């Protein structure tokens, strides 16, 4: 039997996941390995094991598809529960069951493609003696350990496209348009998407905003002859002296979303201008990856196999200085990269007259 390497995709989906899977398969086949794709994230590791053999033919043509052909979940038995020292803890018997499944089908190492929560789970599997390699994934691009994650560029492209469309209707009606985008803790998608789409104001979690100042800014634009304005707001943006907007989905579970409507309502009241809100939602997470995300995903997949071949288990692929390298998962987890208000990117936005509502 050929040596086997496992791969799974975990957490929210993201354009570029299939490029990673294809990269893993093509690189692994060169080494004479067989790739086992576990279904629906870590859940596929539970007995009896839900998996498919991924090969060259089965991954042909998948690079341009959004989502993940092996499924994913951000729920289930391996989901991080916060325990002592704020560390996520997966039950010991769950890890033992996964180890049993991996051993029974001859999988010697496991590539885990996921976000920060999935990397925390990967770390625990690694500490329990399962050979793990991490591949970071999030459209939010907010992991400190890697300069970029695939999926981000596609999300930014979706935001810019939405703004291009909203611009024409906003101008025709002399309206204020508020576009709510993803980004719970970090405003990268709003910042990059807003700049690319020619937004007039960008509201992000890292820079608390003031409704009065935002309204004054829009009124000044009107007085200067710009009767429409485009406001991009990250779902985690917070007004000064205010709170993030969350809604309860079920007992004990809250989800971000709704700040766009609140901002639209406040602006309409303070400017007297007709204002509409559009929530971009999962449109920014679906669909074909951009070329950049296809390339980055491919590079991450290939590098994950190379790291496994070199035996650097407990490592996560990382993009630094235009090179794909690796860092230890232990050093990578729980470290968010936030937008710095004094950064060049924010300064650039200010120079092109974008307001942050301060
Ligand atoms: O972390 C990625 C992300 O897309 C966030 O930006 C967003 O808040 C969240 O996932 C949405 O998750 P779900 O698909 O479970 O609603």
């Amino acid at each position: 039997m050929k040596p086997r390497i496992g791969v799974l995709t975990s957490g929210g989906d993201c354009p570029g996941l299939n490029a990673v899977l294809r990269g893993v398969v093509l690189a692994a086949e060169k080494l004479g390995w067989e790739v086992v794709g576990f279904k629906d994230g870590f859940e596929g590791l539970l007995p009896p094991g839900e998996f498919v053999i991924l090969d060259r033919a089965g991954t042909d043509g998948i690079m341009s598809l959004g989502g993940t052909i092996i499924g994913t979940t951000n729920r289930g038995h391996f989901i991080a529960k916060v325990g002592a020292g704020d560390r996520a803890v997966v039950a010991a018997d769950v890890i033992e069951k996964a180890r049993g499944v991996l051993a029974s089908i001859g999988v010697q190492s496991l590539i885990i493609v996921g976000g920060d929560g999935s990397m925390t789970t990967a770390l625990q599997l690694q500490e329990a003696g399962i050979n793990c390699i991490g591949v970071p994934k999030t459209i939010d691009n907010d992991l400190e350990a890697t300069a970029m994650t695939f999926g981000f560029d596609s999300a930014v492209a979706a935001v810019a496209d939405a703004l291009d469309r909203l611009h024409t209707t906003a101008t025709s009606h002399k309206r204020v348009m508020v576009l709510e985008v993803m980004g719970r803790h970090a405003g990268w998608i709003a910042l990059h998407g807003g700049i690319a789409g020619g937004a007039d104001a960008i509201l992000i979690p890292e820079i608390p905003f003031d409704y009065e100042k935002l309204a004054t800014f829009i009124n000044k634009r009107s007085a200067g002859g710009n009767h429409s304005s485009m406001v991009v707001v990250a779902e985690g943006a917070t007004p000064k002296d205010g709170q993030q907007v969350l809604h309860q989905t079920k007992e004990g579970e809250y989800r971000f979303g709704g700040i766009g409507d609140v901002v639209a309502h406040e602006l309409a009241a303070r400017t007297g201008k007709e204002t509409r809100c559009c929530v971009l939602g999962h449109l920014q997470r679906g669909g074909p990856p951009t070329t950049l995300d296809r390339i980055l995903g491919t590079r991450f997949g290939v590098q994950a196999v190379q790291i496994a071949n070199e035996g650097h288990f407990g490592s996560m692929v990382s993009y630094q200085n235009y090179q794909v390298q690796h860092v230890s998962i232990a050093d990578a987890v729980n470290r968010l990269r936030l937008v710095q208000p004094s950064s060049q990117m924010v300064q650039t936005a200010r120079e092109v007259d974008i307001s942050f509502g301060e």
Side-chain angles (χ1 to χ4, degrees):
M1 192 164 108
K2 288 181 180 174
R4 282 180 155 182
I5 186 167
V7 64
L8 61 85
T9 50
S10 169
D13 72 334
C14 169
L17 284 170
N18 286 325
V20 176
L21 295 177
R22 176 176 169 273
V24 165
V25 166
L26 296 185
E29 286 193 354
K30 289 220 164 40
L31 295 170
W33 298 353
E34 190 167 54
V35 178
V36 177
F38 290 94
K39 291 186 183 170
D40 302 333
F42 291 99
E43 295 298 289
L45 296 173
L46 290 175
E50 288 288 328
F51 59 87
V52 283
I53 301 300
L54 296 174
D55 60 12
R56 180 177 286 265
T59 52
D60 192 24
I62 67 168
M63 185 166 56
S64 57
L65 299 178
T68 160
I69 61 164
I70 51 175
T72 186
T73 180
N74 48 13
R75 301 178 182 281
H77 298 80
F78 293 81
I79 287 309
K81 295 202 182 70
V82 175
D86 275 341
R87 260 202 60 168
V89 178
V90 178
D93 66 313
V94 169
I95 295 181
E96 279 320 303
K97 283 178 186 163
R99 187 207 302 283
V101 167
L102 290 166
S104 71
I105 57 173
V107 172
Q108 291 155 8
S109 54
L110 184 61
I111 295 172
I112 293 157
V113 192
D116 194 55
S118 307
M119 290 306 133
T120 312
T121 301
L123 186 58
Q124 283 169 71
L125 298 188
Q126 179 66 39
E127 286 170 357
I130 297 171
N131 290 333
C132 293
I133 302 289
V135 174
K137 164 245 56 151
T138 165
I139 64 163
D140 297 339
N141 204 27
D142 59 356
L143 304 183
E144 181 65 41
T146 182
M148 206 194 294
T149 50
F150 60 87
F152 173 64
D153 189 58
S154 304
V156 168
V159 172
D161 176 63
L163 285 172
D164 287 348
R165 292 166 192 275
L166 291 173
H167 257 297
T168 55
T169 171
T171 316
S172 305
H173 286 268
K174 299 187 175 61
R175 282 176 174 163
V176 175
M177 284 285 178
V178 178
L179 178 66
E180 180 182 308
V181 303
M182 285 183 173
R184 292 171 291 189
H185 313 294
W188 295 109
I189 294 175
L191 179 60
H192 285 234
I195 292 174
D200 302 301
I202 300 175
L203 309 177
I204 57 175
E206 296 90 338
I207 306 180
F209 64 93
D210 183 319
Y211 283 117
E212 263 321 302
K213 298 221 165 108
L214 190 59
T216 304
F217 170 77
I218 287 168
N219 283 335
K220 267 195 193 150
R221 280 178 51 77
S222 290
N226 294 310
H227 297 294
S228 64
S229 289
M230 311 290 296
V231 180
V232 177
V233 54
E235 59 190 351
T238 321
K240 272 183 188 144
D241 307 322
Q243 300 224 319
Q244 289 180 318
V245 179
L246 296 150
H247 56 273
Q248 195 166 10
T249 46
K250 59 180 186 188
E251 181 76 32
E253 196 178 282
Y254 293 85
R255 199 171 288 162
F256 278 82
I259 182 73
D261 265 329
V262 178
V263 169
H265 179 80
E266 291 287 338
L267 287 181
R270 289 165 200 260
T271 64
K273 289 185 75 67
E274 235 193 308
T275 307
R276 296 284 190 274
C277 170
C278 172
V279 180
L280 195 53
H282 291 81
L283 288 173
Q284 45 213 301
R285 238 171 57 188
T290 58
T291 50
L292 197 148
D293 285 338
R294 295 177 198 199
I295 294 166
L296 194 58
T298 299
R299 293 180 75 183
F300 276 15
V302 167
Q303 182 72 3
V305 170
Q306 279 165 7
I307 293 173
N309 192 34
E310 289 161 11
H312 296 300
F313 300 113
S315 298
M316 185 188 86
V317 167
S318 155
Y319 186 69
Q320 305 288 350
N321 301 321
Y322 301 99
Q323 295 299 311
V324 182
Q325 306 168 353
H326 59 91
V327 294
S328 98
I329 300 177
D331 290 342
V333 293
N334 236 340
R335 291 175 52 215
L336 279 185
R337 188 167 60 86
L338 302 178
V339 174
Q340 296 302 319
S342 59
S343 63
Q344 192 183 49
M345 191 63 90
V346 173
Q347 293 309 326
T348 301
R350 293 187 204 282
E351 290 302 320
V352 293
D353 298 335
I354 292 173
S355 165
F356 288 87
E358 302 153 276

